[in-house]
């Protein structure tokens, strides 16, 4: 579904991504793990069209996203749950979710999508009229994810969903990620919590200083001594 081929990305003179290649197959949950500053968020921003590559290709169902405006990529079935959530704090939960459906003109489909989001996140349904900025960190993460789901995505990009959350909420968020995957949604998960990310993924890539250093099945990487020492606290 998603194929990244040898992309190079710069921030001015800084070479942020150096020949990065990865694939995400239909129905997979693929994790991209690495230390803070490794370039994980840059990968997602480049896929979403917020950044452009100097070389390489990014293909979604065979279409090169480098030739598509960022504002149009979401219409192709790719949704992004950004690091830090970036919800609309002065809008209600329902208003935030409906903002996620701005590309859809069918009122019935929007309402159906809304009910599907509430099915995944019953806590949001309890807080329909509550302002987004008054939600807890975990609830805001649910809201940001629900907003992305309102677009009927083929593939969901998730950037550091556990950031700033308590251990209990981290477990809850990862349980939700597993549920979304089980429902058939393809997911590319960027996460600094490598233990959690590898536990839910089918396959994984390790990103170090802008380069893919390792890849393979999530179970194999979780048992690799280098990964265990660098990212799993072993």
């Amino acid at each position: 579904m998603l194929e990244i081929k040898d992309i190079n990305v710069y921030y001015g003179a800084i070479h942020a991504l150096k020949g990065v290649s990865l694939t995400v197959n239909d129905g997979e949950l693929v994790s991209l793990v690495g230390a803070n500053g490794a370039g994980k968020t840059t990968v997602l921003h480049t896929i979403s069209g917020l950044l452009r590559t100097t070389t390489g290709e990014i293909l979604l169902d065979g279409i090169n996203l480098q030739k598509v405006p960022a504002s149009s990529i979401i219409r192709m079935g790719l949704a992004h749950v950004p690091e830090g959530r970036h919800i609309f704090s002065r809008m209600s939960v329902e208003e935030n979710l409906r903002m996620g459906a701005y590309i859809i003109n069918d009122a019935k489909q929007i309402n159906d999508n809304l009910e599907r989001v509430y099915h995944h996140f019953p806590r949001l349904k309890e807080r329909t009229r509550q302002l987004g900025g008054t939600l807890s960190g975990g609830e805001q993460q649910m809201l940001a994810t629900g907003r992305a789901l309102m677009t009927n995505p083929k593939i969901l990009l998730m950037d550091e969903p556990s950031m700033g959350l308590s251990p209990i909420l981290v477990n809850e968020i990862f349980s939700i990620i597993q549920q979304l995957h089980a429902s058939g949604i393809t997911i590319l998960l960027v996460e600094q919590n490598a233990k959690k990310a590898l536990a839910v993924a089918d396959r994984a890539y390790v990103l170090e200083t802008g380069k893919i250093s390792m890849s393979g099945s999530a179970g194999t990487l979780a048992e690799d001594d280098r990964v265990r020492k660098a990212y799993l606290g072993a």
Side-chain angles (χ1 to χ4, degrees):
M1 180 178 288
L2 178 68
E3 186 174 11
I4 299 174
K5 297 181 177 181
D6 194 29
I7 62 171
N8 287 271
V9 176
Y10 287 81
Y11 290 108
I14 299 172
H15 197 175
L17 297 181
K18 307 164 186 174
V20 170
S21 298
L22 62 84
T23 59
V24 182
N25 297 312
D26 188 9
E28 276 194 313
L29 196 169
V30 174
S31 289
L32 180 62
V33 301
N36 189 33
K40 304 186 302 297
T41 293
T42 300
V43 171
L44 295 195
H45 282 180
T46 307
I47 296 170
S48 294
L50 302 177
L51 295 171
R52 294 297 179 183
T53 67
T54 54
T55 61
E57 291 182 314
I58 300 173
L59 305 176
L60 180 65
D61 287 335
I63 298 173
N64 189 352
L65 298 184
Q66 293 299 97
K67 300 179 180 179
V68 179
S71 59
S72 299
I73 290 176
I74 192 170
R75 299 178 187 275
M76 297 172 61
L78 187 148
H80 190 157
V81 184
E83 179 183 3
R85 294 124 201 177
H86 295 286
I87 62 163
F88 301 102
S89 61
R90 296 186 180 183
M91 296 173 68
S92 71
V93 165
E94 182 172 334
E95 288 170 336
N96 268 273
L97 293 174
R98 289 186 179 276
M99 283 295 290
Y102 78 95
I103 63 172
I104 301 174
N105 295 319
D106 186 331
K108 182 180 184 302
Q109 185 178 357
I110 292 173
N111 288 328
D112 288 346
N113 290 356
L114 195 61
E115 287 306 311
R116 183 164 66 106
V117 169
Y118 285 150
H119 172 74
H120 285 298
F121 306 104
R123 199 176 307 175
L124 294 182
K125 189 169 187 177
E126 297 170 2
R127 291 159 172 72
T128 302
R129 303 302 175 192
Q130 189 170 331
L131 296 183
T134 66
L135 300 176
S136 69
E139 290 164 349
Q140 289 187 14
Q141 184 62 52
M142 295 175 194
L143 182 56
T145 305
R147 181 179 59 190
L149 293 176
M150 288 294 291
T151 67
N152 288 329
K154 292 189 291 187
I155 182 168
L156 192 62
L157 310 184
M158 303 191 73
D159 194 352
E160 302 284 5
S162 74
M163 178 180 288
L165 302 183
S166 68
I168 292 176
L169 285 175
V170 169
N171 290 338
E172 185 173 356
I173 290 297
F174 271 91
S175 176
I176 290 168
I177 291 170
Q178 288 179 291
Q179 292 171 26
L180 294 175
H181 180 217
S183 73
I185 297 175
T186 304
I187 299 173
L188 175 57
L189 171 66
V190 158
E191 181 58 59
Q192 195 170 344
N193 187 332
K195 184 175 182 179
K196 287 290 187 182
L198 293 176
V200 300
D202 299 309
R203 293 187 300 109
Y205 294 83
V206 177
L207 188 68
E208 296 182 340
T209 59
K211 296 180 180 179
I212 298 292
S213 61
M214 300 178 66
S215 64
S217 73
T220 299
L221 288 181
E223 295 299 321
D224 187 280
D225 285 342
R226 291 168 294 174
V227 175
R228 287 169 60 82
K229 290 176 182 177
Y231 302 106
L232 303 182

